Amino acid sequence: TKKNLEILDLVIQRQLGIRVVTNATVLLPEHMTRLSQIPNLELQISLDGIGHSYEFMRYPAQWTTVEANIYRIKNELKQAKINFNFVAQPLNAQYMIPTMDYANKLRIPIRLTNLVDPAWLTWQVLNDQEKTCLVEILNSQLDQYRLSTQQKNEIRSYQQTIRTTASAHNLRQTLQHKIRATLELRNVSHEKILQHLGQLHSLLY
């Protein structure tokens, strides 16, 4: 954010509390110096996947850089209340549970937020076969990863939402057009998105 250092200086000067929302892609020494001086500090880190899934969702960010920044924040800003926020949508839903597991291992709370806009990135773009496939993927992951009871219930709620959301062909067409345009703009290969989507690769067609 432009002038963010000036904002932090003002917070320090007036002894204010602050909530910072960040994608953790850029973390300068000047940021850390100021953040360390704020006792009442909340840091929400946007985390829409991990590893290659993060890099796809948050292009052109590099996961190694982001993860290093997460560890730095966790280890150096002991006073901060840190949490993750995962915005769930069809392009990253199959990475919800692995990301929650990652957060749990770091002992950092994670919140799932259901994406509602733009409409062409909502559950409406999925056809019935894809809904069933995604629900089964999540079921399989529930057996593979250790989640709390509350987290499991949250995933089951998402499964129910996915099952019961009506499909909209026009939104699906918009999604496909947007994906093609995005891949061309980013110069990302078709194979890259196939790898990311996995069993949901039919979304492209």
Side-chain angles (χ1 to χ4, degrees):
T1 302
K2 292 180 180 179
K3 298 188 176 181
N4 56 16
L5 295 178
E6 294 179 29
I7 295 171
L8 293 177
D9 284 337
L10 183 63
V11 169
I12 294 168
Q13 177 188 341
R14 298 193 178 181
Q15 298 182 341
L16 302 174
I18 189 172
R19 177 173 178 264
V20 179
V21 179
T22 177
N23 56 23
T25 54
V26 177
L27 187 63
L28 303 177
E30 294 91 333
H31 294 139
M32 294 298 290
T33 298
R34 287 162 173 80
L35 292 171
S36 65
Q37 298 177 58
I38 303 173
N40 185 8
L41 173 65
E42 180 185 345
L43 283 169
Q44 178 180 298
I45 302 173
S46 300
L47 195 69
D48 296 334
I50 55 175
H52 73 82
S53 65
Y54 181 93
E55 292 182 351
F56 181 85
M57 297 300 298
R58 289 279 179 169
Y59 176 92
Q62 296 295 312
W63 173 246
T64 52
T65 299
V66 172
E67 185 173 39
N69 287 340
I70 290 171
Y71 275 92
R72 189 176 174 198
I73 288 170
K74 183 177 186 295
N75 294 329
E76 296 183 24
L77 299 176
K78 299 292 187 182
Q79 87 287 14
K81 296 177 181 177
I82 306 168
N83 62 85
F84 292 129
N85 185 58
F86 183 105
V87 180
Q89 49 134 309
L91 295 183
N92 69 355
Q94 59 189 307
Y95 300 102
M96 276 195 296
I97 293 177
T99 304
M100 294 169 82
D101 178 71
Y102 176 83
N104 290 347
K105 288 175 179 176
L106 288 180
R107 298 181 182 273
I108 296 177
I110 184 168
R111 179 179 64 185
L112 301 183
T113 303
N114 189 45
L115 184 143
V116 295
D117 187 64
W120 53 267
L121 273 177
T122 63
W123 310 116
Q124 295 179 77
V125 303
L126 298 172
N127 61 32
D128 290 342
Q129 183 178 356
E130 290 158 352
K131 292 175 192 175
T132 300
C133 178
L134 181 52
V135 167
E136 289 176 352
I137 290 172
L138 295 175
N139 274 334
S140 174
Q141 291 176 345
L142 282 172
D143 293 331
Q144 296 174 38
Y145 294 91
R146 294 183 62 182
L147 302 184
S148 69
T149 300
Q150 181 180 348
Q151 288 175 329
K152 289 179 180 179
N153 289 337
E154 193 170 9
I155 292 298
R156 293 188 181 107
S157 176
Y158 270 91
Q159 289 176 307
Q160 180 64 13
T161 299
I162 292 166
R163 284 192 197 98
T164 58
T165 299
S167 302
H169 185 66
N170 61 318
L171 294 178
R172 183 185 180 89
Q173 288 181 315
T174 302
L175 170 69
Q176 292 168 345
H177 172 75
K178 296 283 188 181
I179 286 179
R180 286 192 289 269
T182 301
L183 293 179
E184 184 177 349
L185 181 66
R186 295 181 181 180
N187 196 27
V188 174
S189 69
H190 192 70
E191 289 72 23
K192 189 91 170 178
I193 191 171
L194 288 178
Q195 176 192 7
H196 176 78
L197 291 175
Q199 297 180 57
L200 296 178
H201 66 273
S202 58
L203 258 177
L204 298 177
Y205 310 105

